[in-house]
Amino acid sequence: MSITTIVAEQVNRIVGNQHHDPFEILGSHCIEKNGKKVWAVRAYLPNASAASVVLPEQRQEYPMQPVHHPHFFECTIEIAELTNYQLRIKEGEHERVIYDPYAFRSSKLTDFDLHLFSEGNHHRIYEKMGAHPTEINGVKGVYFAVWAPNARNVSLLGDFNLWDGRKHQMRKGHTGVWELFIPEIGKGEHYKYEIKNFDGHIYEKTDPYGFQQEPRPKTASIVTDLNAYTWSDQKWMEKRRETDPLSQPVSVYEVHLGSWLHASSSEPAKLPNGETEPVVVVSELKPGARFLTYRELADRLIPYVKELGYTHLELLPIAEHPFDGSWGYQVTGYYAPTSRFGSAEDFMYFVDQCHKNDIGVIVDWVPGHFPKDGHGLAFFDGSHLYEYSDPRKGEHKEWGTLVFNYNRHEVRNFLVANALFWFDKYHIDGIRVDAVASMLYLDYCREPGEWLTNEYGGRENLEAADFLRQVNHHLFTYFPGVLSIAEESTSWPMVSWPTYTGGLGFNLKWNMGWMHDMLDYFSMDAWFRQFHQNNITFSMWYNHSENFMLALSHDEVVHGKSNIIGKMPGDTWQKLANVRCLFSYMFAHPGKKTMFMSMEFGQWSEWNVWADLEWQLLQYDDHQQLKQFFQDINSLYRSEPALYTQDFAENGFEWIDCSDNRHSVASFLRYDKDSDDFIVVVCNFTPQPHSHYRIGVPEEGFYTELFNSDARPYGGSNMGNLGGKWTDNWSLHNRPYSLDLCLPPLGVLMLKLDKQKTAEVI
């Protein structure tokens, strides 16, 4: 294109920020003039009074002239090749020299990238979309790419252009991805996308693929280099890759980082370089309080969890969200760990330190819905891009959120890649997928007439089910040894079955039925429990239909439900004994374990997202003893393979007697997979102790009392069996031998055959 072909209409499209490809006009263009190569250089420079092209290598400068508009400049240069030129810009009395963004025409997105993205199969699209520090033609800068197919035009806003959308207009590709390389900026730059639809409406949006955001209430994305951190968890990662987590102990401490513990705003926060900086976080916390940083949490939370003996930490959503009170479940930055607690590198450090201390990290993931905040995904390019357009399918009115359009390839790609991203870049060990039931059912929390059927007239969201299968298939393909846990509360079949069998592909599912049965049972007066023995036994009828995780989560200690100890009947002693009884049964029952913070020391009040846990309770013996109970039961759980190696195999569990409802006693066996070891478990769910209570056992010998939830160190009455019991040659419960036991009140016993002592005597 020659200079003579530039007309006012073309210039006006650039000046009016209405061109889908500003590279057609701006930058350098080679033309033929009298048989010679001549380069036409054009630039739109709002606020500039004069401009010139600088060739640093030739030490030459060419004045530019305004054409059709006082801020649209051009000049011609007779030179064989023109690369890496600069622009000298005069704005009032200020002068600066920059590289022209429109001189860099190459793209990081190949045709194959765009093809994979368009069909929903680009599993590392986050390496191309978003903001990436890079170098082109020897010049360092940041490459930006955003998907907005229905936008009229897209510009970059940031500190680098004084948030003026005219200065960095992006180029649209044929798949609706807009891109631009801006030279001489880098890590730490704040930016947004200015998006205009065809009606001229303007939307300022956070980067959907942005790796970091400003602390709320600000909403700009921040350019970040996720490859700068040096990991030191190679041994952990190699071991994980070779290990089946379903045959390992999994005891999860669920924690909300923003309310586990706070620091004083006058107390300096730790920075990576060892320096300190006062941090004041504006929130609804108590006056003078601030959040702990990821690095401070690494110093305080990790040793605490390690002391308690948990194998994993589960973090309520770490992804960026605007409102503290949402607990993290209304995500606006799916690729950004929340800046409330520090930077992306700080979160990497936290995960790294967990792995150094043999603690896995599970992150809650929320692909079921997203909020309507103006800077987020909602109506992203002036159209229903990420959400279904019909509110009968695309809106959760109860939550005030929108539903992802799982039928759209690029949206599905966004979410699948996001799940993989957290494992790839942050080395997490598992995801707990929130509110799966809300994804699977089209009529979830919707009245008749407020939802649409699927193509077969049913209420199942087939698109969401296919999406979940796709996520889990790729997750276990790329990252063997990790966990994918479904919070799914219905009878949808085969949730934790592999995708090749038709399952959804999770490897664990929260056992919501067990949770409801247990809390109903333990909340009733002990005398009435004899009429509800099925609450205790029913879970084993369906236990092998899924790979279950037993969970007592944050949802059970909010909204007027009371904390765990407050649900229990009786006086304080009985309440604490009931808590020990409940969790002892939980750890002995097949299935992996999850419990929410504060349960381990018996917090009385409900969880308050704005306050610390009630750590002051640990000054009292009762609460210290309960904490000791959890340390010991975690230790026992991890040391006895019979309690975890066959959680999901039918021969890993066997009832001894489940029908003694008159005494509210249940007894059973847990078997190890790789040896002939087994654990005898006897549970007395009433405050009435039982002396000479006899149960049948499969082998003769001395059974050591491994664990007694009524032991004195836990605040119990210390009734027990003096370290163990010998069998009697008296058959019972269809077994050749039996034990005469003392069952403590509201107590759980775990016994194991001592083969060495037995062999010495027999």
Side-chain angles (χ1 to χ4, degrees):
M1 182 182 292
S2 68
I3 293 178
T4 57
T5 62
I6 292 294
V7 296
E9 190 275 334
Q10 293 171 309
V11 173
N12 289 338
R13 288 180 66 193
I14 294 294
V15 172
N17 201 351
Q18 296 179 356
H19 206 298
H20 73 283
D21 185 4
F23 283 86
E24 289 184 359
I25 308 297
L26 302 177
S28 59
H29 299 265
C30 183
I31 61 176
E32 291 287 334
K33 187 176 181 179
N34 299 326
K36 294 182 179 180
K37 275 188 177 182
V38 177
W39 292 89
V41 180
R42 308 184 187 95
Y44 174 49
L45 305 170
N47 306 322
S49 56
S52 59
V53 175
V54 178
L55 305 183
E57 295 181 2
Q58 290 81 5
R59 297 184 179 181
Q60 293 179 319
E61 187 166 340
Y62 299 85
M64 304 180 78
Q65 303 298 324
V67 176
H68 297 304
H69 190 277
H71 302 307
F72 189 95
F73 298 90
E74 65 180 5
C75 71
T76 58
I77 303 173
E78 292 188 12
I79 191 172
E81 296 296 333
L82 182 62
T83 58
N84 291 5
Y85 64 88
Q86 295 175 307
L87 299 175
R88 186 185 302 278
I89 305 169
K90 187 175 182 181
E91 297 169 330
E93 297 182 359
H94 300 281
E95 188 174 279
R96 56 194 177 99
V97 177
I98 65 168
Y99 284 99
D100 184 1
Y102 299 101
F104 300 88
R105 295 177 174 272
S106 60
S107 170
K108 283 178 64 72
L109 282 159
T110 66
D111 289 341
F112 190 51
D113 287 326
L114 296 172
H115 169 75
L116 290 176
F117 179 60
S118 296
E119 68 175 20
N121 287 318
H122 199 311
H123 304 145
R124 298 184 186 274
I125 190 62
Y126 50 84
E127 294 182 345
K128 299 298 178 75
M129 293 289 198
H132 299 272
T134 189
E135 184 176 305
I136 298 179
N137 297 335
V139 178
K140 293 182 178 180
V142 177
Y143 171 83
F144 297 88
V146 63
W147 179 58
N150 302 310
R152 187 186 70 187
N153 53 284
V154 179
S155 297
L156 277 156
L157 304 173
D159 296 332
F160 45 83
N161 62 18
L162 301 179
W163 302 87
D164 188 339
R166 300 173 296 171
K167 295 181 178 179
H168 291 104
Q169 302 173 39
M170 303 181 77
R171 170 178 59 193
K172 182 181 182 181
H174 65 276
T175 59
V177 176
W178 300 74
E179 60 181 343
L180 185 67
F181 172 76
I182 301 182
E184 299 180 297
I185 66 171
K187 182 178 176 181
E189 292 283 355
H190 294 58
Y191 71 99
K192 284 186 179 182
Y193 296 109
E194 181 185 86
I195 298 175
K196 288 183 182 178
N197 68 8
F198 282 89
D199 293 325
H201 298 151
I202 299 176
Y203 309 88
E204 292 188 4
K205 294 289 187 176
T206 300
D207 190 346
Y209 292 87
F211 298 145
Q212 189 171 336
Q213 288 186 17
E214 292 179 293
R216 80 279 176 274
K218 296 181 179 180
T219 58
S221 298
I222 302 175
V223 176
T224 305
D225 182 2
L226 295 184
N227 298 315
Y229 183 80
T230 302
W231 289 90
S232 57
D233 63 347
Q234 290 77 14
K235 289 184 179 179
W236 170 275
M237 299 294 282
E238 290 170 8
K239 180 182 177 182
R240 188 187 76 183
R241 192 177 301 112
E242 303 297 327
T243 302
D244 175 13
L246 299 187
S247 65
Q248 300 300 309
V250 177
S251 175
V252 181
Y253 185 75
E254 185 192 24
V255 61
H256 177 262
L257 297 183
S259 56
W260 183 75
L261 182 68
H262 298 109
S264 168
S265 58
S266 61
E267 177 186 349
K270 181 187 294 186
L271 297 178
N273 58 9
E275 297 179 357
T276 59
E277 179 183 32
V279 176
V280 178
V281 179
V282 179
S283 67
E284 296 186 37
L285 304 178
K286 61 185 179 182
R290 67 166 176 83
F291 293 126
L292 295 175
T293 67
Y294 290 119
R295 291 176 182 268
E296 290 171 330
L297 286 160
D299 290 343
R300 302 189 191 187
L301 175 59
I302 293 174
Y304 180 77
V305 172
K306 187 174 183 179
E307 176 192 14
L308 287 169
Y310 289 93
T311 64
H312 290 74
L313 265 169
E314 180 185 326
L315 308 177
L316 270 63
I318 286 298
E320 192 61 85
H321 51 283
F323 177 49
D324 298 342
S326 75
W327 309 343
Y329 289 100
Q330 297 204 7
V331 176
T332 52
Y334 276 82
Y335 285 82
T338 178
S339 56
R340 287 167 175 79
F341 316 121
S343 68
E345 286 189 25
D346 293 337
F347 183 57
M348 291 177 182
Y349 173 84
F350 176 84
V351 176
D352 209 5
Q353 293 302 306
C354 284
H355 290 170
K356 284 184 179 180
N357 286 276
D358 295 320
I359 297 172
V361 178
I362 300 168
V363 171
D364 281 13
W365 187 52
V366 193
H369 64 119
F370 59 94
K372 299 177 181 179
D373 296 65
H375 66 280
L377 298 176
F379 215 65
F380 185 77
D381 64 354
S383 70
H384 297 286
L385 186 65
Y386 283 89
E387 67 271 24
Y388 291 106
S389 59
D390 192 322
R392 292 174 294 176
K393 196 172 182 180
E395 185 174 0
H396 280 305
K397 291 185 178 180
E398 183 182 33
W399 299 338
T401 56
L402 301 174
V403 180
F404 282 104
N405 185 346
Y406 305 109
N407 195 43
R408 191 159 198 167
H409 298 318
E410 296 90 346
V411 174
R412 199 166 61 248
N413 200 144
F414 171 82
L415 290 170
V416 171
N418 182 244
L420 301 175
F421 165 83
W422 289 97
F423 290 90
D424 179 20
K425 296 299 185 181
Y426 290 99
H427 291 201
I428 67 167
D429 305 287
I431 52 174
R432 192 218 61 146
V433 183
D434 179 64
V436 171
S438 75
M439 301 169 64
L440 293 175
Y441 294 97
L442 296 165
D443 62 346
Y444 186 88
C445 288
R446 294 183 175 94
E447 298 296 327
E450 294 182 351
W451 59 281
L452 299 175
T453 65
N454 61 32
E455 58 187 296
Y456 303 106
R459 67 190 188 102
E460 298 80 10
N461 190 334
L462 304 178
E463 298 159 4
D466 287 342
F467 157 70
L468 291 170
R469 293 187 186 99
Q470 184 181 5
V471 170
N472 287 317
H473 171 75
H474 293 306
L475 181 59
F476 294 120
T477 299
Y478 285 110
F479 303 102
V482 301
L483 294 170
S484 181
I485 308 162
E487 185 208 8
E488 206 286 310
S489 55
T490 74
S491 58
W492 185 285
M494 303 166 64
V495 170
S496 59
W497 290 37
T499 55
Y500 59 79
T501 67
L504 293 184
F506 294 94
N507 55 2
L508 285 171
K509 171 183 172 174
W510 272 15
N511 193 336
M512 309 296 277
W514 176 89
M515 179 270 295
H516 286 296
D517 285 345
M518 289 304 99
L519 295 182
D520 286 347
Y521 183 81
F522 275 90
S523 65
M524 67 179 68
D525 185 275
W527 188 85
F528 292 102
R529 293 176 184 176
Q530 62 184 304
F531 307 111
H532 298 274
Q533 186 84 350
N534 61 302
N535 282 49
I536 293 296
T537 61
F538 181 63
S539 59
M540 290 310 302
W541 283 96
Y542 60 84
N543 184 68
H544 304 299
S545 64
E546 299 279 3
N547 299 334
F548 282 117
M549 171 172 276
L550 310 181
L552 293 170
S553 73
H554 63 278
D555 284 327
E556 310 318 314
V557 295
V558 291
H559 304 322
K561 298 178 184 177
S562 179
N563 214 309
I564 290 295
I565 190 171
K567 300 176 191 291
M568 304 299 168
D571 58 21
T572 299
W573 188 93
Q574 289 192 22
K575 288 179 182 293
L576 288 163
N578 269 299
V579 170
R580 297 193 302 271
C581 187
L582 166 60
F583 281 101
S584 297
Y585 181 59
M586 175 181 180
F587 273 80
H589 190 289
K592 307 310 179 186
K593 330 295 178 187
T594 292
M595 57 172 284
F596 188 56
M597 64 182 192
S598 80
M599 295 179 184
E600 76 277 8
F601 62 83
Q603 177 165 311
W604 287 96
S605 63
E606 291 186 339
W607 171 44
N608 180 358
V609 72
W610 308 112
D612 290 351
L613 301 185
E614 294 179 345
W615 297 108
Q616 70 275 10
L617 292 175
L618 286 171
Q619 66 184 301
Y620 303 110
D621 290 343
D622 288 348
H623 299 276
Q624 276 287 358
Q625 290 163 343
L626 185 59
K627 180 171 175 261
Q628 183 64 51
F629 161 82
F630 278 101
Q631 289 179 245
D632 290 353
I633 201 167
N634 266 311
S635 177
L636 174 70
Y637 172 63
R638 297 177 70 161
S639 64
E640 291 295 337
L643 294 176
Y644 61 79
T645 55
Q646 295 200 94
D647 278 325
F648 315 114
E650 291 190 14
N651 55 359
F653 175 94
E654 189 176 0
W655 287 113
I656 296 174
D657 182 13
C658 63
S659 60
D660 188 6
N661 61 295
R662 186 168 67 90
H663 295 103
S664 296
V665 172
S667 53
F668 54 90
L669 298 166
R670 295 296 310 277
Y671 291 96
D672 180 27
K673 179 182 179 181
D674 301 314
S675 72
D676 57 0
D677 286 349
F678 60 91
I679 302 291
V680 177
V681 183
V682 189
C683 309
N684 176 16
F685 296 109
T686 73
Q688 176 63 49
H690 302 292
S691 59
H692 303 295
Y693 190 94
R694 189 171 291 274
I695 63 166
V697 291
E699 294 187 28
E700 181 183 16
F702 182 81
Y703 284 75
T704 300
E705 189 175 85
L706 295 178
F707 184 81
N708 182 346
S709 69
D710 189 53
R712 179 175 288 114
Y714 312 142
S717 62
N718 210 39
M719 295 184 68
N721 296 277
L722 302 176
K725 281 293 187 74
W726 286 94
T727 55
D728 295 317
N729 194 16
W730 181 352
S731 63
L732 188 67
H733 298 134
N734 294 318
R735 303 180 193 282
Y737 309 99
S738 61
L739 291 170
D740 181 2
L741 298 173
C742 172
L743 302 189
L746 293 169
V748 175
L749 302 177
M750 298 190 204
L751 304 101
K752 182 179 181 181
L753 179 65
D754 187 330
K755 297 178 181 178
Q756 181 177 352
K757 189 171 184 177
T758 300
E760 291 173 354
V761 175
I762 300 178

